[in-house]
């Protein structure tokens, strides 16, 4: 969850619902994602919520609003919902190096 110019690698086109789960190539099912998030997401579509054990679908940037599920706090992306908890977990959004990059970008006023 960085702008492309702030990542070490170019962003990639992700199938929100992967083809192997029946996802289409329609723009409704495509998202521009950072390399690292996309590596961790792979072909996942859902995960078990660490708080409740319920199976929860990952955040869908085409149908859901980011600010309703997440907020940024000192470089960490914090969950407001179960959708956010599973997405942060699967995409490993708050690995220490990623928080550090966000903190550095925030100090220079270019993040979020
Ligand atoms: Zn990312």
């Amino acid at each position: 969850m960085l702008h492309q110019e702030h990542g070490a690698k170019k962003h990639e086109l992700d199938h929100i619902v992967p083809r192997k789960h029946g996802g289409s190539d329609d723009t409704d099912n495509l998202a521009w994602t950072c390399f690292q998030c996309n590596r961790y997401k792979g072909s996942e579509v859902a995960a078990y919520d660490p708080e409740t054990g319920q199976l929860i679908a990952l955040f869908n940037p085409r149908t859901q609003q980011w600010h309703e599920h997440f907020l940024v706090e000192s470089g960490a992306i914090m969950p407001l919902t179960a959708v956010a908890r599973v997405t942060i977990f699967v995409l490993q959004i708050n690995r220490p190096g990623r928080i550090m990059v966000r903190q550095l970008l925030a100090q220079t006023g270019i993040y979020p």
Side-chain angles (χ1 to χ4, degrees):
M1 298 191 175
L2 288 175
H3 294 291
Q4 178 168 265
E5 60 268 30
H6 302 146
K9 300 200 174 182
K10 283 190 166 185
H11 279 28
E12 299 178 326
L13 202 56
D14 174 52
H15 285 76
I16 297 166
V17 176
R19 287 193 189 112
K20 85 178 200 185
H21 291 291
S24 75
D25 293 332
D26 295 345
T27 51
D28 284 358
N29 189 44
L30 299 175
W32 196 234
T33 64
C34 80
F35 179 84
Q36 282 191 319
C37 285
N38 204 23
R39 279 299 151 292
Y40 284 109
K41 179 178 176 285
S43 61
E44 304 290 347
V45 293
Y48 291 100
D49 181 357
E51 279 192 18
T52 66
Q54 280 191 302
L55 187 62
I56 303 288
L58 298 179
F59 177 73
N60 182 327
R62 291 290 184 187
T63 61
Q64 295 172 308
Q65 295 296 314
W66 196 89
H67 68 271
E68 291 176 4
H69 294 273
F70 306 91
L71 61 84
V72 181
E73 211 172 83
S74 303
I77 294 176
M78 306 303 291
L80 300 173
T81 63
V83 167
R85 282 195 297 273
V86 298
T87 303
I88 289 167
F89 174 72
V90 170
L91 275 57
Q92 297 290 300
I93 285 171
N94 286 323
R95 287 165 58 96
R98 305 177 93 181
I99 290 175
M100 196 174 68
V101 168
R102 287 188 212 111
Q103 288 171 336
L104 290 170
L105 292 170
Q107 283 170 14
T108 55
I110 52 178
Y111 185 87

